[in-house]
Amino acid sequence: MDLTIGVLGFVAVLVLGILRVPVAVAMAVVGLAGGAALGGLDGILYLSGTLPYDAVSPYGLSVVPLFVMMGVFAGRAGLSRALYDVADLLVGRFRGGLAMATIGASAGFGAICGSSLATCATIGKVALPEMRRHGYPDDLAAGAVAAGGTLGVLIPPSVIIVLYALITEQSIGALFAAALIPGLIATLYYMIAARISARRLPRRGERGGETGERRRGGGLRLLAIADIVVLFGLVIGGIYAGLFSPTEAAAIGAGGAALLAWMRGGLKGGELRGAMVETALTSGMIFLILIGAALFNYFVETSGLPQALVGAIAAAGLGQLEVIILLVVFYLVLGCFMDSMSMVLLTVPAVFPLIEANGIDPIWFGILLVTVVELGLITPPIGMNLFVLKGIDARLDLGVVIRGVLPFIGADVVRVVTLIALPQVVLFLPHLLGF
């Protein structure tokens, strides 16, 4: 009976998510109702007073608002424009170069920001008008921005990776190291997809005057991102080298991004207050989801659903590869209906015992999970990045955006196969750095 209630509760959260009920509310309501059904009203009332505090009080969670603040100040500093200009300088002369530059700029901004939705919105405001000005069709332009935005989830620092590390008690530094090479591979695969999609476009490099102008200003453009490179190297390199903890690195990153925003004139007028309000709202949303997830996960664990899942897989005699494929398909389907953070917080507590029971490396699985979750951000019908694009440019038709992301979804499928076939791509750097 308890197991049946657990399955019904999980289905209820999915249905509420499809109905666009905020996932934090859906998980909290189902968690409270399910907990009362399984453990009685008195017990769930007591836990509703303690679980929310326990969910948001761990010291390790302090990295979340700090990395969010780092991304907000990076946006105020105009780093997206500088990164886009440099990427355009490097690859803009090729056929489809602006789409490739959009991918490169998204990778760079994602490395500072750590949020896919923020990366998509910020780079989109710069890249969409520029690609339209050069005759790019809306499907290619929107597809490049939507796909490039997903790199913010994978390339460290990443809020999703931090949350996975905290839930599973894995090293944040090891996961950041593991994500670096897959992040570069993702950027490369997306650029290839953009180049293939742009085969019908003329080469920009044939317009010599424009190319010459870009090259003459190249030194200044490269100089404009020197501080960004230093900040990224300080934050990520400091973690890899063991100079400071992830929390200290996040604080340095937030302070460094604030300094860059001030030096570049991005904190004039009420911009500082606006940046702090945006940080508070985003962090509050994340912590609210964490509270809802804590209540729901208590209910799921009480129902015995994780243990039943492990037992069912063991009884079926499935090997590691079969379990991995099963989970990938599960997350791909789930990604059609839920946002990435909700997927991780909702499912990892139930899925992780299955990972441990089958001897799957938790660091490797974490990166595979983030990769598949990232794919969910551009998967119809409700990939979050698709709606972000529609929000920043009302002229875009949702069907055109979906058509534009299809080649990039193909690139993601190839990347998932690469990570499964070659796990050393993920594990090489953590082993090299001694994590």
Side-chain angles (χ1 to χ4, degrees), residues 183-214:
L184 296 175
I185 291 174
T187 305
L188 175 62
Y189 283 6
Y190 278 170
M191 284 188 172
I192 293 172
R195 182 69 185 273
I196 294 173
S197 299
R199 62 187 179 277
R200 63 186 183 275
L201 298 177
R203 287 171 57 96
R204 289 188 73 205
E206 292 171 358
R207 298 203 293 273
E210 186 180 333
T211 302
E213 182 181 343
R214 283 205 315 274

mmCIF file of all heavy atoms in Angstrom, residues 183-214:
data_model
loop_
_atom_site.group_PDB
_atom_site.id
_atom_site.type_symbol
_atom_site.label_atom_id
_atom_site.label_comp_id
_atom_site.label_asym_id
_atom_site.label_seq_id
_atom_site.Cartn_x
_atom_site.Cartn_y
_atom_site.Cartn_z
ATOM 1 N N GLY A 183 32.100 19.745 -21.343
ATOM 2 C CA GLY A 183 31.608 21.065 -21.722
ATOM 3 C C GLY A 183 32.245 21.555 -23.009
ATOM 4 O O GLY A 183 31.577 22.131 -23.877
ATOM 5 N N LEU A 184 33.548 21.312 -23.155
ATOM 6 C CA LEU A 184 34.242 21.690 -24.395
ATOM 7 C C LEU A 184 33.752 20.850 -25.570
ATOM 8 O O LEU A 184 33.596 21.358 -26.695
ATOM 9 C CB LEU A 184 35.755 21.533 -24.210
ATOM 10 C CG LEU A 184 36.393 22.457 -23.157
ATOM 11 C CD1 LEU A 184 37.871 22.125 -22.986
ATOM 12 C CD2 LEU A 184 36.222 23.924 -23.556
ATOM 13 N N ILE A 185 33.515 19.564 -25.318
ATOM 14 C CA ILE A 185 32.977 18.696 -26.374
ATOM 15 C C ILE A 185 31.589 19.166 -26.788
ATOM 16 O O ILE A 185 31.257 19.190 -27.985
ATOM 17 C CB ILE A 185 32.933 17.230 -25.885
ATOM 18 C CG1 ILE A 185 34.354 16.686 -25.745
ATOM 19 C CG2 ILE A 185 32.124 16.353 -26.836
ATOM 20 C CD1 ILE A 185 34.420 15.300 -25.146
ATOM 21 N N ALA A 186 30.769 19.553 -25.824
ATOM 22 C CA ALA A 186 29.431 20.060 -26.140
ATOM 23 C C ALA A 186 29.522 21.288 -27.037
ATOM 24 O O ALA A 186 28.768 21.423 -28.016
ATOM 25 C CB ALA A 186 28.687 20.400 -24.849
ATOM 26 N N THR A 187 30.442 22.200 -26.712
ATOM 27 C CA THR A 187 30.624 23.405 -27.524
ATOM 28 C C THR A 187 31.037 23.044 -28.946
ATOM 29 O O THR A 187 30.514 23.589 -29.926
ATOM 30 C CB THR A 187 31.687 24.313 -26.879
ATOM 31 O OG1 THR A 187 31.313 24.604 -25.520
ATOM 32 C CG2 THR A 187 31.830 25.614 -27.644
ATOM 33 N N LEU A 188 31.974 22.097 -29.074
ATOM 34 C CA LEU A 188 32.441 21.670 -30.390
ATOM 35 C C LEU A 188 31.313 21.029 -31.195
ATOM 36 O O LEU A 188 31.105 21.356 -32.376
ATOM 37 C CB LEU A 188 33.601 20.682 -30.235
ATOM 38 C CG LEU A 188 34.134 20.037 -31.533
ATOM 39 C CD1 LEU A 188 34.690 21.110 -32.454
ATOM 40 C CD2 LEU A 188 35.177 18.976 -31.210
ATOM 41 N N TYR A 189 30.557 20.131 -30.584
ATOM 42 C CA TYR A 189 29.464 19.458 -31.292
ATOM 43 C C TYR A 189 28.401 20.464 -31.735
ATOM 44 O O TYR A 189 27.839 20.355 -32.834
ATOM 45 C CB TYR A 189 28.828 18.389 -30.409
ATOM 46 C CG TYR A 189 29.619 17.105 -30.282
ATOM 47 C CD1 TYR A 189 30.894 16.984 -30.834
ATOM 48 C CD2 TYR A 189 29.113 16.003 -29.608
ATOM 49 C CE1 TYR A 189 31.615 15.801 -30.717
ATOM 50 C CE2 TYR A 189 29.821 14.812 -29.493
ATOM 51 C CZ TYR A 189 31.083 14.727 -30.037
ATOM 52 O OH TYR A 189 31.792 13.564 -29.932
ATOM 53 N N TYR A 190 28.093 21.428 -30.883
ATOM 54 C CA TYR A 190 27.114 22.448 -31.256
ATOM 55 C C TYR A 190 27.607 23.297 -32.424
ATOM 56 O O TYR A 190 26.833 23.679 -33.311
ATOM 57 C CB TYR A 190 26.805 23.345 -30.063
ATOM 58 C CG TYR A 190 25.804 22.790 -29.086
ATOM 59 C CD1 TYR A 190 25.584 23.409 -27.863
ATOM 60 C CD2 TYR A 190 25.047 21.661 -29.377
ATOM 61 C CE1 TYR A 190 24.652 22.921 -26.959
ATOM 62 C CE2 TYR A 190 24.120 21.157 -28.483
ATOM 63 C CZ TYR A 190 23.932 21.793 -27.272
ATOM 64 O OH TYR A 190 23.002 21.307 -26.377
ATOM 65 N N MET A 191 28.892 23.623 -32.415
ATOM 66 C CA MET A 191 29.442 24.405 -33.524
ATOM 67 C C MET A 191 29.370 23.621 -34.838
ATOM 68 O O MET A 191 29.079 24.185 -35.897
ATOM 69 C CB MET A 191 30.889 24.810 -33.222
ATOM 70 C CG MET A 191 31.029 25.940 -32.228
ATOM 71 S SD MET A 191 32.730 26.524 -32.105
ATOM 72 C CE MET A 191 32.516 27.966 -31.066
ATOM 73 N N ILE A 192 29.634 22.324 -34.757
ATOM 74 C CA ILE A 192 29.516 21.485 -35.954
ATOM 75 C C ILE A 192 28.074 21.472 -36.447
ATOM 76 O O ILE A 192 27.806 21.589 -37.655
ATOM 77 C CB ILE A 192 30.012 20.051 -35.655
ATOM 78 C CG1 ILE A 192 31.524 20.063 -35.396
ATOM 79 C CG2 ILE A 192 29.679 19.114 -36.811
ATOM 80 C CD1 ILE A 192 32.076 18.739 -34.918
ATOM 81 N N ALA A 193 27.125 21.342 -35.519
ATOM 82 C CA ALA A 193 25.713 21.355 -35.893
ATOM 83 C C ALA A 193 25.330 22.690 -36.524
ATOM 84 O O ALA A 193 24.575 22.734 -37.510
ATOM 85 C CB ALA A 193 24.840 21.076 -34.663
ATOM 86 N N ALA A 194 25.851 23.795 -35.966
ATOM 87 C CA ALA A 194 25.569 25.119 -36.528
ATOM 88 C C ALA A 194 26.151 25.245 -37.934
ATOM 89 O O ALA A 194 25.520 25.799 -38.842
ATOM 90 C CB ALA A 194 26.129 26.206 -35.618
ATOM 91 N N ARG A 195 27.364 24.734 -38.108
ATOM 92 C CA ARG A 195 28.008 24.809 -39.432
ATOM 93 C C ARG A 195 27.231 24.004 -40.473
ATOM 94 O O ARG A 195 27.017 24.448 -41.604
ATOM 95 C CB ARG A 195 29.443 24.279 -39.322
ATOM 96 C CG ARG A 195 30.248 24.358 -40.621
ATOM 97 C CD ARG A 195 30.557 25.796 -40.976
ATOM 98 N NE ARG A 195 31.213 25.895 -42.262
ATOM 99 C CZ ARG A 195 32.529 25.795 -42.450
ATOM 100 N NH1 ARG A 195 33.333 25.589 -41.401
ATOM 101 N NH2 ARG A 195 33.050 25.928 -43.643
ATOM 102 N N ILE A 196 26.767 22.825 -40.087
ATOM 103 C CA ILE A 196 25.981 22.001 -41.012
ATOM 104 C C ILE A 196 24.654 22.682 -41.332
ATOM 105 O O ILE A 196 24.215 22.723 -42.489
ATOM 106 C CB ILE A 196 25.755 20.599 -40.418
ATOM 107 C CG1 ILE A 196 27.091 19.846 -40.317
ATOM 108 C CG2 ILE A 196 24.759 19.807 -41.257
ATOM 109 C CD1 ILE A 196 26.996 18.525 -39.582
ATOM 110 N N SER A 197 24.011 23.256 -40.313
ATOM 111 C CA SER A 197 22.717 23.912 -40.522
ATOM 112 C C SER A 197 22.849 25.147 -41.402
ATOM 113 O O SER A 197 21.884 25.551 -42.062
ATOM 114 C CB SER A 197 22.106 24.321 -39.180
ATOM 115 O OG SER A 197 21.892 23.191 -38.360
ATOM 116 N N ALA A 198 24.032 25.749 -41.418
ATOM 117 C CA ALA A 198 24.244 26.996 -42.159
ATOM 118 C C ALA A 198 24.838 26.767 -43.546
ATOM 119 O O ALA A 198 25.308 27.718 -44.177
ATOM 120 C CB ALA A 198 25.164 27.912 -41.350
ATOM 121 N N ARG A 199 24.806 25.551 -44.037
ATOM 122 C CA ARG A 199 25.449 25.270 -45.330
ATOM 123 C C ARG A 199 24.799 26.040 -46.482
ATOM 124 O O ARG A 199 25.418 26.233 -47.525
ATOM 125 C CB ARG A 199 25.417 23.775 -45.619
ATOM 126 C CG ARG A 199 24.026 23.174 -45.737
ATOM 127 C CD ARG A 199 24.076 21.651 -45.854
ATOM 128 N NE ARG A 199 22.744 21.049 -45.954
ATOM 129 C CZ ARG A 199 21.973 20.785 -44.928
ATOM 130 N NH1 ARG A 199 22.396 21.072 -43.706
ATOM 131 N NH2 ARG A 199 20.778 20.243 -45.102
ATOM 132 N N ARG A 200 23.554 26.500 -46.289
ATOM 133 C CA ARG A 200 22.881 27.236 -47.352
ATOM 134 C C ARG A 200 23.211 28.726 -47.321
ATOM 135 O O ARG A 200 22.746 29.487 -48.177
ATOM 136 C CB ARG A 200 21.367 27.054 -47.234
ATOM 137 C CG ARG A 200 20.763 27.605 -45.951
ATOM 138 C CD ARG A 200 19.280 27.241 -45.849
ATOM 139 N NE ARG A 200 18.614 27.779 -44.681
ATOM 140 C CZ ARG A 200 18.601 27.213 -43.501
ATOM 141 N NH1 ARG A 200 19.260 26.076 -43.325
ATOM 142 N NH2 ARG A 200 17.948 27.761 -42.492
ATOM 143 N N LEU A 201 23.982 29.149 -46.325
ATOM 144 C CA LEU A 201 24.308 30.566 -46.203
ATOM 145 C C LEU A 201 25.611 30.882 -46.919
ATOM 146 O O LEU A 201 26.496 30.026 -47.037
ATOM 147 C CB LEU A 201 24.440 30.970 -44.728
ATOM 148 C CG LEU A 201 23.189 30.817 -43.862
ATOM 149 C CD1 LEU A 201 23.521 31.177 -42.430
ATOM 150 C CD2 LEU A 201 22.082 31.716 -44.377
ATOM 151 N N PRO A 202 25.810 32.136 -47.383
ATOM 152 C CA PRO A 202 27.089 32.521 -47.993
ATOM 153 C C PRO A 202 28.179 32.667 -46.940
ATOM 154 O O PRO A 202 27.893 32.877 -45.752
ATOM 155 C CB PRO A 202 26.782 33.877 -48.634
ATOM 156 C CG PRO A 202 25.656 34.424 -47.812
ATOM 157 C CD PRO A 202 24.830 33.231 -47.405
ATOM 158 N N ARG A 203 29.420 32.561 -47.366
ATOM 159 C CA ARG A 203 30.558 32.741 -46.445
ATOM 160 C C ARG A 203 30.699 34.222 -46.110
ATOM 161 O O ARG A 203 30.789 35.068 -47.005
ATOM 162 C CB ARG A 203 31.861 32.248 -47.091
ATOM 163 C CG ARG A 203 31.988 30.756 -47.195
ATOM 164 C CD ARG A 203 33.198 30.400 -48.051
ATOM 165 N NE ARG A 203 34.412 30.986 -47.505
ATOM 166 C CZ ARG A 203 35.263 30.334 -46.712
ATOM 167 N NH1 ARG A 203 35.029 29.092 -46.381
ATOM 168 N NH2 ARG A 203 36.342 30.940 -46.255
ATOM 169 N N ARG A 204 30.753 34.544 -44.847
ATOM 170 C CA ARG A 204 30.957 35.946 -44.458
ATOM 171 C C ARG A 204 32.338 36.417 -44.833
ATOM 172 O O ARG A 204 32.576 37.579 -45.107
ATOM 173 C CB ARG A 204 30.769 36.114 -42.948
ATOM 174 C CG ARG A 204 29.333 35.984 -42.485
ATOM 175 C CD ARG A 204 29.229 36.361 -41.023
ATOM 176 N NE ARG A 204 29.374 37.793 -40.839
ATOM 177 C CZ ARG A 204 29.797 38.353 -39.717
ATOM 178 N NH1 ARG A 204 30.165 37.603 -38.710
ATOM 179 N NH2 ARG A 204 29.888 39.658 -39.611
ATOM 180 N N GLY A 205 33.299 35.516 -44.854
ATOM 181 C CA GLY A 205 34.685 35.887 -45.124
ATOM 182 C C GLY A 205 34.902 36.419 -46.522
ATOM 183 O O GLY A 205 35.925 37.017 -46.812
ATOM 184 N N GLU A 206 33.930 36.220 -47.438
ATOM 185 C CA GLU A 206 34.082 36.728 -48.787
ATOM 186 C C GLU A 206 33.911 38.238 -48.835
ATOM 187 O O GLU A 206 34.284 38.878 -49.816
ATOM 188 C CB GLU A 206 33.055 36.052 -49.708
ATOM 189 C CG GLU A 206 33.341 34.560 -49.907
ATOM 190 C CD GLU A 206 32.221 33.853 -50.636
ATOM 191 O OE1 GLU A 206 31.211 34.514 -50.953
ATOM 192 O OE2 GLU A 206 32.349 32.642 -50.883
ATOM 193 N N ARG A 207 33.330 38.844 -47.758
ATOM 194 C CA ARG A 207 33.194 40.288 -47.718
ATOM 195 C C ARG A 207 34.434 40.852 -47.036
ATOM 196 O O ARG A 207 34.495 41.038 -45.826
ATOM 197 C CB ARG A 207 31.916 40.683 -46.950
ATOM 198 C CG ARG A 207 30.662 40.165 -47.620
ATOM 199 C CD ARG A 207 29.449 40.982 -47.224
ATOM 200 N NE ARG A 207 29.094 40.835 -45.818
ATOM 201 C CZ ARG A 207 28.294 39.872 -45.372
ATOM 202 N NH1 ARG A 207 27.825 38.965 -46.193
ATOM 203 N NH2 ARG A 207 27.987 39.812 -44.099
ATOM 204 N N GLY A 208 35.450 41.086 -47.825
ATOM 205 C CA GLY A 208 36.770 41.412 -47.290
ATOM 206 C C GLY A 208 36.804 42.647 -46.424
ATOM 207 O O GLY A 208 37.546 42.728 -45.464
ATOM 208 N N GLY A 209 35.996 43.671 -46.769
ATOM 209 C CA GLY A 209 36.041 44.895 -45.979
ATOM 210 C C GLY A 209 35.643 44.655 -44.536
ATOM 211 O O GLY A 209 36.278 45.110 -43.600
ATOM 212 N N GLU A 210 34.563 43.878 -44.368
ATOM 213 C CA GLU A 210 34.081 43.595 -43.016
ATOM 214 C C GLU A 210 35.090 42.758 -42.255
ATOM 215 O O GLU A 210 35.352 42.985 -41.073
ATOM 216 C CB GLU A 210 32.741 42.863 -43.092
ATOM 217 C CG GLU A 210 32.101 42.665 -41.741
ATOM 218 C CD GLU A 210 30.784 41.933 -41.837
ATOM 219 O OE1 GLU A 210 30.130 42.021 -42.889
ATOM 220 O OE2 GLU A 210 30.425 41.284 -40.845
ATOM 221 N N THR A 211 35.698 41.752 -42.946
ATOM 222 C CA THR A 211 36.698 40.914 -42.291
ATOM 223 C C THR A 211 37.898 41.740 -41.861
ATOM 224 O O THR A 211 38.425 41.600 -40.758
ATOM 225 C CB THR A 211 37.139 39.793 -43.248
ATOM 226 O OG1 THR A 211 36.005 39.035 -43.624
ATOM 227 C CG2 THR A 211 38.154 38.896 -42.582
ATOM 228 N N GLY A 212 38.336 42.637 -42.749
ATOM 229 C CA GLY A 212 39.481 43.469 -42.405
ATOM 230 C C GLY A 212 39.210 44.363 -41.223
ATOM 231 O O GLY A 212 40.051 44.556 -40.351
ATOM 232 N N GLU A 213 38.005 44.910 -41.176
ATOM 233 C CA GLU A 213 37.635 45.763 -40.038
ATOM 234 C C GLU A 213 37.637 44.976 -38.749
ATOM 235 O O GLU A 213 38.087 45.445 -37.703
ATOM 236 C CB GLU A 213 36.256 46.354 -40.310
ATOM 237 C CG GLU A 213 35.782 47.297 -39.220
ATOM 238 C CD GLU A 213 34.405 47.844 -39.516
ATOM 239 O OE1 GLU A 213 33.964 47.763 -40.680
ATOM 240 O OE2 GLU A 213 33.762 48.340 -38.575
ATOM 241 N N ARG A 214 37.109 43.734 -38.788
ATOM 242 C CA ARG A 214 37.101 42.905 -37.577
ATOM 243 C C ARG A 214 38.512 42.617 -37.108
ATOM 244 O O ARG A 214 38.823 42.653 -35.927
ATOM 245 C CB ARG A 214 36.370 41.571 -37.857
ATOM 246 C CG ARG A 214 34.876 41.688 -37.882
ATOM 247 C CD ARG A 214 34.232 40.343 -37.552
ATOM 248 N NE ARG A 214 34.844 39.232 -38.241
ATOM 249 C CZ ARG A 214 34.512 38.846 -39.469
ATOM 250 N NH1 ARG A 214 33.584 39.507 -40.122
ATOM 251 N NH2 ARG A 214 35.097 37.816 -40.044
#
